[in-house]
Amino acid sequence: MATASTGPRPVWAEVDLGAIRDNAATLEGIAAPAALCAVVKANGYGHGSAEVAAAALEGGASSLGVALVEEGAELRQAGITAPILVLSEPPHDAMADVAALALIPTVYTDAGVTAAAKAVADATDQTPMTVHVKVDTGMHRVGASPADAVAVSLAVEERAELRLGGLWTHFALADAPDDPFTSIQASRFREVAAELASLGVSPPLLHACNSAGCIAHPYARHDMVRCGIALFGLAPSPALVGRADIHPALSLHARVSHVRSLAAGEGISYGLQYRLERRSFVATVPIGYADGVPWRLGAAGGEVLIGGRRRPIAGSVTMDQITVDCGDDAGVSPGDEVVLLGRQDGESVDAWEWARRVDTIAYEIVCRIGPRVPRTYTST
């Protein structure tokens, strides 16, 4: 259990790097013989990118995935030397940075191939750049169509400045394990790989699976899987809860800042929509939607833990504070620890609980824990 914050405001998130290592080892074991790429974009899904990247590599990941060139730069600045795959085609004027940082860009346009090759040609160190080609097999976000992916891959092969290190796709419905569309996408992807092979081109890495794919679709693991949310101990969807032995790495904590006794019928917080049914002790906790607590969480029945008991959030979450209905418990005092996400004395609240209450996904819950919340790191 966390016992202290790291600054004047008593709010903090605790990240268990031991859980990250264990989750990486579990996912690597599930995927084997495929390799594990640990996706640490978006500040490591709110957990801290460099710290969790190092832990994931210790746990068995062989490479890392990011969304932005800037995220790759942050990892390099932290001293991480492992391969880093940029998961979308970078802006073409950023390819020089890609080359300088020895990142692996995804490409799926002729212009992207040209920009990558030019970055190498213009560099002092003209070591060929490894690139991966992404195939759009049906999600229709980014990537080349199956027909165009073959042409883009051949264009990479023709450039002396480039090396085709991988061919990949991304599943749209892998977290719905019974939906047949994942197998349709997997088939389209295999057809592209087979056509390239017939032309004498065999990328060293084929990869299609995200966390859900890794857990639920073993036929699609190929040479590598890319795991993000599961690395942090959260199931990719409620349908996959319990399908892998993973454990949440992040817990969110605060301390009670103020307690008052209010009469039955009093309204609490903006709008006064929450009305006390009886005289109650109401605790104020200095964390709010600017820190990632969803604005609707109180109205949706959200609860926190104080003294090992679930307590309802009383009224609207405000920018910097929440109020908590502690009922007739006169023992709640300023300084008491509040667990918003995590465990306390046998009770627990997790990111999927919040997500279900406010009609979102656990990914958004952890990613939105803001920079005002300091992260502390432990290793169990």
Side-chain angles (χ1 to χ4, degrees), residues 42-376:
N43 192 33
Y45 288 50
H47 294 64
S49 58
E51 293 84 356
V52 301
L57 292 167
E58 291 173 7
S62 57
S63 63
L64 304 168
V66 298
L68 309 175
V69 174
E70 295 90 331
E71 292 172 338
E74 181 180 351
L75 296 177
R76 291 289 186 241
Q77 290 162 7
I80 291 173
T81 60
I84 299 173
L85 174 64
V86 182
L87 295 166
S88 292
E89 187 172 283
H92 299 160
D93 59 4
M95 285 295 189
D97 291 332
V98 171
L101 294 163
L103 305 179
I104 301 170
T106 293
V107 295
Y108 35 79
T109 67
D110 290 338
V113 173
T114 299
K118 184 177 185 302
V120 174
D122 291 346
T124 302
D125 177 6
Q126 296 185 345
T127 301
M129 179 190 293
T130 298
V131 305
H132 287 207
V133 171
K134 184 173 184 181
V135 188
D136 175 13
T137 56
M139 187 165 170
H140 303 319
R141 183 178 58 175
V142 294
S145 69
D148 290 342
V150 172
V152 171
S153 299
L154 293 175
V156 171
E157 284 284 283
E158 292 170 358
R159 301 302 296 253
E161 302 93 340
L162 304 179
R163 295 288 181 269
L164 181 60
L167 183 77
W168 69 284
T169 194
H170 192 64
F171 292 141
L173 282 166
D175 56 357
D178 296 327
D179 194 291
F181 192 65
T182 299
S183 64
I184 293 171
Q185 284 191 267
S187 178
R188 291 171 179 168
F189 180 64
R190 288 193 298 269
E191 288 170 2
V192 173
E195 184 173 351
L196 281 172
S198 72
L199 297 170
V201 177
S202 297
L205 292 176
L206 301 180
H207 50 110
C209 283
N210 51 12
S211 291
C214 175
I215 293 168
H217 302 278
Y219 61 87
R221 290 174 187 151
H222 294 293
D223 304 302
M224 186 173 78
V225 298
R226 308 176 309 274
C227 292
I229 195 69
L231 179 70
F232 306 104
L234 296 170
S237 68
L240 294 177
V241 170
R243 293 280 294 270
D245 185 20
I246 53 176
H247 303 278
L250 181 144
S251 55
L252 182 61
H253 307 256
R255 293 191 183 280
V256 173
S257 61
H258 185 61
V259 179
R260 65 179 61 199
S261 176
L262 295 174
E266 288 291 330
I268 309 294
S269 195
Y270 286 123
L272 303 180
Q273 297 299 305
Y274 188 96
R275 296 281 174 174
L276 295 173
E277 296 181 356
R278 64 187 189 282
R279 175 168 288 279
S280 298
F281 292 93
V282 176
T284 301
V285 184
I287 187 171
Y289 63 73
D291 306 296
V293 182
W295 174 73
R296 291 188 56 252
L297 187 61
E303 297 173 314
V304 302
L305 305 177
I306 304 176
R309 291 172 54 186
R310 284 178 168 263
R311 322 274 186 158
I313 296 173
S316 296
V317 172
T318 68
M319 185 179 291
D320 311 300
Q321 299 177 96
I322 60 172
T323 44
V324 179
D325 185 351
C326 299
D328 61 1
D329 189 350
V332 176
S333 303
D336 286 354
E337 184 180 1
V338 181
V339 175
L340 293 98
L341 294 172
R343 301 185 64 83
Q344 188 183 62
D345 297 340
E347 280 283 357
S348 65
V349 177
D350 67 18
W352 270 113
E353 178 178 328
W354 280 19
R356 286 190 294 269
R357 291 190 184 278
V358 299
D359 193 26
T360 186
I361 55 177
Y363 301 69
E364 183 178 12
I365 297 299
V366 292
C367 285
R368 289 184 63 182
I369 297 174
R372 301 198 314 178
V373 179
R375 276 66 167 169
T376 66

